[in-house]
Amino acid sequence: MNILAGRLRRMAALLGLFTLLLARPQPLWAQWNDPYPQRDSGRNILYAAFTERPKRLDPAQAYSSDEYTIISQIYEPPFEYQYLLRPYTLVPLTARAIPKPVYLDSKGRRLPADAPADRIAYSVYTIHIRHGILYQPSPCFARNASGQYLYQSLTAAQLRGIRTLSGFRHTGTRELVAADYVYEIKRLASPWVQSPLFSVLRHYIVGFKRFARTVGHLRATLPRVDGRPPYIDLAQVPMVGVKVLGRYTYSIEVRGKYPQFLYWMAMPFFAPMPPEAAHFFSQPGMARRDLTLDWYAVGTGPYMLTVNNPAREMVLQRNPNYHPDFYPRRGDSSDVKDGLLKDAGMRLPFINRVVFIRERETIPYWDKFMQGYYDESGVSAESFNQVVQYSPGGQAQLTPAMRARGIRLVTSTAPSIMYYGFNMLDPVVGGYSRRSRLLRRAISIAINTRQYILIFRNGRGIPAQSPLPPGIFGYQPGCAGRDPYVYDCVDGRIRRKPIAVARRLLAEAGYPDGRDQRTGKPLLLYYDTPETGPEAKANMDWMRKQFRKLNIQLVIRSTDYNRFQQKMRQGEEQIFSWGWNADYPDPEDFLMLLYGPNSEVKFNGENSANYNDPEFNRLFNEMRNMNNGPARAAIIRRMVSLVQRDAPWVWGYYPVSYLLRQAWVHNVKPNYMATNNLKYLRLDPALRARDRKAWNRPVVWPLWVIAALLVAVMLPAVLVYRQKERKSPL
Amino acid sequence: MIRYIIRRLLYAIPILVGVNVLTFALFFFVNTPNDMARFHLGIKRVTPQAITEWKIEHGYNDPLFYNARAPGIDKLTRTIFFQHSVKLLVFDFGQSDSGRDIGYDIRQRMWPSLAIQVPTFVVGLAVYISVALMTVFFRGTYLDLGGVILAVVMMSISMLFYVIGGQYLFSKVLRLVPISGYDTGLSAFKFVVLPVVLGIVSGIGASMRLYRTFFLEEAPRDYVRTARAKGLSEIRVLFRHVLKNAMIPILTGVVVVIPTLFIGGLIMESFFGIPGLGAYTIDAVRSQDFGIVHAMVYLGAVLYIVGLIMTDLAYTLVDPRVRLE
Amino acid sequence: MAFKFVLLPTDALLYLLVVVAVIYGMYAARHEHLRAPWRQVRRNPVAMAALVVLAAYVATGLLDSIHFRMRLDVPGAGHHQAIYAPQVRSVLDVLCGPLRKHVERTYSAPFALRSFTPQMVRLPGGQRVLEYPRLQYGGAGIRTSTDRARDIALRCLRATGETLALWVALVCAVVWWRVRHPGEFMRTAFVRLARGATDTPWRTILVTLAVVILLVAAIVNLGGEYHILGTDQVGQDVLYEAIKSIRTGLVIGTLSTLVMLPFAVAMGVMAGYFGGWVDDLIQYLYTTLNSIPSVLLIIAVILSLQLYMANHAASIDNIAQRQDIRLLALCVVLGVTSWTGLCRLLRGEAMKLRNMDYIQAATALGVRSRSIMTRHILPNVMHIVLISVVLDFSGLVLAEAILSYIGVGVDPSMNSWGNMINGARLELARDPVVWWSLAAAFLFMVTLVLAANLFADAVRDAFDPRLRTS
């Protein structure tokens, strides 16, 4: 017997074994393509994903939505947004009630609640928190039998071999007290914490700036410990405006009348931070082991972070100490129909564990959602036609294929705006002359946002008419709210002015047919964008196409995000695209994007267009501390008409978000303010396990085809070999 | 032998210093410490004071290469370059800008990378060599011709097509393996199998052709004729003699591949969501984390040099004629 | 003048390359030791077929490298200075006019009459329906798909006719000028051609040419009327993009080795010839460069270039110029990462040559080192250079795609196969699948790389059958 034939026989035996494995009635894995461990199937676990690892989990620093997705489930500020009610309403979370501010005049005398805003020098908020709330188990609270902290004076020997928080064997807990809230506000004021809210709060909270100076000075002058800055116990340093009034009571004194302050206090910035945690993580050797507040969190919320592996996954586990918290009993009128009130009054949270998987790209995420391995998903432009179709009435609805899977669609308009801005400091497109205004209006008409929405967002957006998105006080729907310089009103519908109008405006501005009247040179404009990479190519091509309608040459300068920001700060840009998500549901948060003293170039603010109109600024100051009502609406209308006249932005669009949820996920209602939404969700793991099995039957026959092909190649090889062997060598 | 190794190791030091200077200059040319601070401090509401604070905190407030304000030798040592490179030379990678221990992360992420690269490399080598040997065995027949043509066609197709097509077909359409992800231990198999197969298939054209030429060069030599004349079977001749002698050029090629194990992982890891070093590098570049990039470049250079020394040693094992001097 | 020439840096380098190639051709024709291997290449039918394909690509690339700006008519009198349009166009752009200008709204399939994605249309009664809108240009004037089939058949027929006419003329010309021996009958010559019994494989060449001409004719006849390979997300013709990408591929494939070539040759020869500390220094240099993972090097350089361009935005107004500078930079970086291999080969060869008798003699006679290197060593290592240029070509074309995927390839607004593949990845996630961008990039790329590989094989076999790629 020759060697090769023997080999073939052995290979055939192997193939047979392989066949057996494949043909087993219950294959090795229930589903071959299940990306999760077998032991977790059928459990009450929610699967979600993150694209970029959240950079900071420290509530004093975190400010982006991906960070909030995690920390809002862990840290609890005194207030939260009611999950179901619209417009967004604040309700107490750890506080016992929403406080009514006490107004004081400049001499500290108490004023009535309806006092005029200009007389109010200070507003004092007094917050009472609920008793008996416990922190999640954490080693920072661990004590020994005699009541001494176990891990608050760590030695190198104790830390040996510890790389994650679970390396500490003992944990403990403690009751939440008012001092923890005050401690966190002091952290916001500490210069080394670098809180993004520092620049806002220093104008409002009494004593904030002085506190910052004091602790900054302390830190610089106290001796360094092992080359590291000294630990400063913030509890020992007083802040004039923020006081602990009792075990469960604290007060904050704010300059002037500032009703939006309550909204800030519903953000994780104002969550409690136990000084034990701050001290625990500040010990030497901890940061070097990645044991910091940016990677671990200690809170009172429904979940606690047990695994934080930025390369693969983050796991939120139910907090065993979570205080009694119940599903809301009140909702909007449509919520009963949508089944959102079935769980009313039930104890929260419903889900035991939430696993966030690192998923860099949208395609695999979507494919896994379709296989049932993710529980919720957005709708990407790529999959849109597969998912959504329109009813004859123009209503978005799921395709039959999706409905057959039990998937449901939830649509909502986010309180955000995407826009194109003009740099008002630019000599060509900026300024307040008639010429530049006409140019901007012509461009505003030429950039067909509706078409953009159709091509790039499959119609998921509303062409914007002003800086105020729907759902924000002052937003006007329909023809009344349209920008009269860009849109016409035809049969009660908003319609973009024809391109001929734009060309006429351009000619009036001194650029007939896109050429400068004075020099005859073609008009060249620059568009700055932080989008790079091939995905942005279509976007840029489209943008160029828009300007070509006016015969204007558009030069696109795409740089990395850093460089883009730098250009914006220095006012080197001409036209740019940008967006804004609401911090809180108040028009102030959007109109401040055009407030002169908030100019990005001059004052490092968020007014990227550097728009500065004295009348607008005056109205803004008047509007900002008013309560919502007809008077405020009137002022907002005037402000909007001012910016519509000047056109510092091309109103882009208000994004409409489409959320898909699997049949086994309940209680989904998008709430752009309440980021602590996970506790409301409920799963049906049994249904999920059934569907996954049905959706993921592997298709095996192509493997056989491949094997057959290989054999087909081998067969002649064997024949040739036989032939060759029979002949004498050489 | 030991003296030789020591000499080679010493020779590696100036190369590592050169690598350091080069990468450092390139990276800081694009990325000033101010940029880095802004990037890390986030999008909204960043003040200049915060940037200064950040730079002090992360050791980026010194000049890059030359500190004119410092006294004496400190002019050279109190610089960002010196502080970062000195630690690197003793494999202390320090912390990334996000505050994580780079050394720990590299040790953690090494395993997923190796889980893909090692099987691809080992199985790939075996497959390439056997396929090449087969074409040599059947040389002159239509099997050989067909194999060679197939190899040229296959090497003319970009690796991206293999990966895109393979992922689409096997994970999405046939649902045979998970689309992306990773797990430790034995469960890693289902995540690793497709990237490995695709990695091998995408390299088969070029490698098979290369090895074939090596074998063809050995085939007409005298000792092969002698072996055949002695009546050894063709298979035995090929495996015993031709393969053994063709191992020297193959080894050279193999060592060149070792540093690219990292780079090859870049594509596979990002397509299949493998949390390895390739993905780590891409993340670092996207987040402009200088510490990580610097560490990875340095590690790559070290591995490359180790690879070179290993080749030299391997030569002596395979071919006794080569003597180390 | 109605237009103004624009010389982009890579254009200049491409022209230079053509000039060098011509000079080399003339030089090789006069030297037997160079003519012999080329003769061998000429006799290889596979190589010649590949050469025809390559020539088609190169011709397209060169047509795309003659850039100019059209003059604008000045409104109103009194402007003496001529004003030119800011857009830079190439001859190819003009030739592909219809392809370039027929831009639809968004995706459409190959030869489609209607858009690929549905759009909401409001009927006069106020009711809204979803429909697939008719394309603006694709199959304009064609109503039904049967009409379309007939139209396409007719156009294909015409293309075939034109091809045939041109090809027959071509065959006759070739037979008359090249195949026929003096005094031979045309008929015998034709028979020899048909049997493939000619020294140069004219039969293969002519058949390949027929295919190429047929394809061009088909594009000319069909391209104006249909989107042969569909349209992309913003409605641009995919075929046009693929054709425009040819230049990018060629530039990267050739210029990358070429930019660093003088450097690599000088270093390699000097290291090998002088030895000693020069050798040490040069070896140190290339070992250092070699040990940096090339992807990281490329990333760093491309990022720094972006920064440079952002800082000097005012001086680089033109999109074409921006793209070109980035392309050139990519070539340089790719060159920097790949010159070390060539340098090492040359060093080895120069070391060997240094000990040759005639060079030892020249040294003994007191000939200066520089002239020894340029007169004696350089000509004798040129074949290594040639082979490495040819062999590197396909690898570089493939590298472009990978780099574009990582995001450090050519400018994202530039037409390149890498950018096309990258965009196509997202399209694969659509349902129904948008496959034509990926298919177009695949076809164009594989054809070029395959031809280049086959041709490179023949060249290597002819010049040095033992030289290996490493």
Side-chain angles (χ1 to χ4, degrees), chain C residues 247-270:
Chain C
R247 179 174 183 271
T248 314
L250 287 180
V251 166
I252 289 191
T254 52
L255 293 192
S256 297
T257 20
L258 234 64
V259 187
M260 288 306 287
L261 201 59
F263 194 63
V265 171
M267 296 279 233
V269 170
M270 268 160 63

Side-chain angles (χ1 to χ4, degrees), chain A residues 179-369:
Chain A
D180 298 338
Y181 283 98
V182 173
Y183 189 83
E184 175 67 359
I185 296 171
K186 288 177 176 172
R187 288 188 75 235
L188 295 177
S190 308
W192 61 87
V193 175
Q194 294 159 9
S195 173
L197 226 55
F198 186 91
S199 56
V200 179
L201 294 181
R202 67 182 165 177
H203 299 305
Y204 290 113
I205 295 182
V206 177
F208 198 79
K209 267 188 276 191
R210 184 154 15 121
F211 179 86
R213 265 199 310 278
T214 315
V215 291
H217 181 72
L218 267 178
R219 194 164 192 248
T221 47
L222 284 177
R224 293 167 81 85
V225 187
D226 303 333
R228 288 152 27 90
Y231 174 79
I232 294 163
D233 187 2
L234 298 177
Q236 305 301 317
V237 186
M239 190 189 289
V240 181
V242 183
K243 296 190 193 92
V244 181
L245 300 177
R247 190 172 162 83
Y248 305 107
T249 311
Y250 67 106
S251 72
I252 304 176
E253 195 174 348
V254 174
R255 277 202 191 85
K257 183 181 170 185
Y258 186 47
Q260 290 84 11
F261 191 73
L262 282 175
Y263 291 131
W264 285 119
M265 285 184 64
M267 294 178 80
F269 290 112
F270 284 85
M273 173 61 68
E276 293 94 327
H279 180 262
F280 173 72
F281 286 109
S282 76
Q283 296 177 85
M286 295 290 276
R288 212 157 48 75
R289 291 176 165 74
D290 310 331
L291 299 168
T292 66
L293 276 174
D294 279 338
W295 293 100
Y296 295 97
V298 183
T300 57
Y303 293 98
M304 51 190 198
L305 186 66
T306 49
V307 176
N308 184 3
N309 178 352
R312 261 179 63 201
E313 59 177 14
M314 301 175 83
V315 178
L316 289 177
Q317 189 79 38
R318 183 199 283 264
N319 172 9
N321 299 341
Y322 190 53
H323 57 85
D325 189 11
F326 304 97
Y327 195 89
R329 289 170 192 280
R330 286 173 56 216
D332 282 350
S333 48
S334 63
D335 291 344
V336 179
K337 178 173 65 81
D338 295 343
L340 285 166
L341 281 164
K342 273 189 202 143
D343 292 328
M346 302 275 272
R347 177 86 189 254
L348 299 176
F350 296 109
I351 293 168
N352 286 339
R353 204 197 308 167
V354 185
V355 179
F356 292 87
I357 313 275
R358 171 83 197 264
E359 205 72 77
R360 302 146 169 283
E361 296 189 330
T362 50
I363 298 174
Y365 182 87
W366 171 252
D367 289 341
K368 281 189 196 167
F369 174 76

